[in-house]
Amino acid sequence: MTALTDELRGFVLTLPSVPFLEALLLVHGTPDQIWTAEALAQRLYLQSVCRADAIVQELAERGFCACTAAGQLVYSPRDARLHGLVLQLAGVYHQKLVEITGLVHR
């Protein structure tokens, strides 16, 4: 089982919520897909499209994604370091689900 590095643990601690984390991993896993807030809400079982829209905006503001003029989202990290952290996170998330979500809830 892969260990959570200190760098990755620190990165996870900066994530604002589990839905944000799951949205990040979803868009990372589908880099060629353009996402709407509605599609994210449906895929993540969020009851509020407004909540999904806030996640879309925050993903863009934090440099994980780019927004189109129509407010759609595509995975496009601002730099290689950020992409590397997301890649590491995606690689260990299912093995360390409880530990990672516990860090997000702190």
Side-chain angles (χ1 to χ4, degrees):
M1 190 171 279
T2 306
L4 225 52
T5 65
D6 289 341
E7 181 182 32
L8 188 55
R9 183 180 308 276
F11 172 68
V12 170
L13 287 168
T14 69
L15 303 178
S17 68
V18 172
F20 180 93
L21 162 67
E22 291 179 348
L24 174 59
L25 293 177
L26 178 62
V27 298
H28 167 266
T30 56
D32 295 328
Q33 184 167 344
I34 296 174
W35 290 89
T36 63
E38 294 82 9
L40 276 177
Q42 183 178 15
R43 184 73 183 267
L44 297 175
Y45 304 104
L46 298 174
Q47 294 186 5
S48 167
V49 174
C50 289
R51 175 73 177 118
D53 189 51
I55 290 171
V56 164
Q57 290 177 24
E58 191 163 7
L59 283 166
E61 288 170 4
R62 289 177 173 237
F64 293 108
C65 298
C67 280
T68 68
Q72 298 168 318
L73 190 72
V74 64
Y75 182 71
S76 180
R78 73 174 168 252
D79 57 43
R81 180 183 175 278
L82 190 58
H83 174 66
L85 287 167
V86 176
L87 191 59
Q88 287 179 50
L89 179 59
V92 300
Y93 183 63
H94 293 290
Q95 297 171 356
K96 301 283 189 178
L97 178 72
V98 173
E99 183 178 355
I100 291 170
T101 57
L103 289 171
V104 173
H105 286 300
R106 286 186 180 194

